[in-house]
Amino acid sequence: EPAVSVSYSSTSGYLYVVGEQKIRQIDPETREFTSFEISASSDSDGRLYNAVDTTLAGDTLITLDRGDSSQNIGARVICTPAYKFGTNEASKNSKAATFKIEETNAKYISTNGETILIATAPDADSQPAPAKSGVLALYTNAGAPIKTFESQDGEPFAGVANLYGTYYAASKNHLYKLEKNAESGEYELIAQKTTRANKLLAADIY
């Protein structure tokens, strides 16, 4: 199974590798997988259907899963373990909390520990074609929607990241910064056009 995302936890020192239907943990010292695993064969809330990205908030692994339309499972976010997340409108067990999202073409996810930012990028063969290719959706870490933003020129997003509490995003020809206005308390998206095509966005882990 090909990996779709890799995340590193600076607090635990472990790497997490995400495939479409499995998440495995790697010990960097031994360079081997540990016994930790989240998979599609589980019957728990944390079961994977179509994982596309993951991020970390401390030791909590936050996974973006597109679900499975054939089983009437919509797009959702899975937080493992659930002790800090999923307290509002989420199904919980001792291992995971999940909450539904509206963005069916969600592809990228990032967090600052208090909120979760999701970016959409439809697949080339998506049918029907979405009305809006590039959307940023901001949620609380319990799954309550805060605000959505559209990309410039309708471009699909190429990635999102959080650095020192500030969100950044990229689409094909634009870079973005998401800030909270100190006076109004509202989130504002600032866009800047780039001279080259952006393909991916990542943040320094240190």
Side-chain angles (χ1 to χ4, degrees), residues 41-53:
S41 60
S42 170
D43 60 358
S44 71
D45 291 338
R47 177 179 179 178
L48 297 181
Y49 291 88
N50 184 13
V52 290
D53 198 14

Side-chain angles (χ1 to χ4, degrees), residues 131-132 134-136 148-155 157 176 189 191:
K132 300 175 183 178
V135 173
L136 286 177
T148 59
F149 307 86
E150 293 183 30
S151 64
Q152 296 291 309
D153 301 329
E155 297 173 353
F157 281 98
Y176 306 82
L189 188 65

Side-chain angles (χ1 to χ4, degrees), residues 1-5 17-22 51:
E1 181 181 350
V4 297
S5 177
V17 181
V18 180
E20 290 182 353
Q21 297 186 324
K22 186 178 294 185

Side-chain angles (χ1 to χ4, degrees):
E1 181 181 350
V4 297
S5 177
V6 178
S7 295
Y8 171 73
S9 171
S10 58
T11 55
S12 68
Y14 289 111
L15 289 162
Y16 293 88
V17 181
V18 180
E20 290 182 353
Q21 297 186 324
K22 186 178 294 185
I23 298 176
R24 298 291 304 274
Q25 185 186 67
I26 296 177
D27 186 333
E29 292 188 3
T30 63
R31 299 184 181 182
E32 294 180 351
F33 288 111
T34 69
S35 60
F36 177 92
E37 180 177 316
I38 304 173
S39 71
S41 60
S42 170
D43 60 358
S44 71
D45 291 338
R47 177 179 179 178
L48 297 181
Y49 291 88
N50 184 13
V52 290
D53 198 14
T54 188
T55 187
L56 282 156
D59 286 331
T60 300
L61 186 67
I62 302 174
T63 304
L64 178 60
D65 190 299
R66 283 185 173 177
D68 185 347
S69 58
S70 66
Q71 298 188 47
N72 200 30
I73 302 296
R76 64 223 183 98
V77 171
I78 306 167
C79 302
T80 312
Y83 62 90
K84 287 177 61 179
F85 295 84
T87 57
N88 179 30
E89 296 182 5
S91 56
K92 295 192 297 181
N93 57 29
S94 60
K95 295 183 179 180
T98 67
F99 64 80
K100 297 178 181 179
I101 59 174
E102 299 295 328
E103 295 68 39
T104 56
N105 293 293
K107 190 170 183 179
Y108 304 102
I109 189 168
S110 186
T111 182
N112 62 4
E114 298 179 356
T115 59
I116 294 172
L117 184 65
I118 293 168
T120 66
D123 295 331
D125 58 353
S126 293
Q127 295 295 332
K132 300 175 183 178
S133 295
V135 173
L136 286 177
L138 188 65
Y139 290 82
T140 68
N141 60 20
I146 297 175
K147 194 172 183 179
T148 59
F149 307 86
E150 293 183 30
S151 64
Q152 296 291 309
D153 301 329
E155 297 173 353
F157 281 98
V160 292
N162 187 277
L163 190 61
Y164 301 116
T166 299
Y167 286 113
Y168 298 89
S171 61
K172 182 178 180 181
N173 295 309
H174 293 84
L175 295 175
Y176 306 82
K177 182 179 182 180
L178 183 60
E179 292 185 316
K180 190 173 186 179
N181 187 296
E183 295 182 0
S184 67
E186 293 291 321
Y187 286 91
E188 300 173 349
L189 188 65
I190 302 170
Q192 179 179 344
K193 194 172 181 64
T194 57
T195 57
R196 296 183 179 181
N198 305 307
K199 295 184 177 180
L200 189 63
L201 181 68
D204 193 332
I205 61 175
Y206 297 106

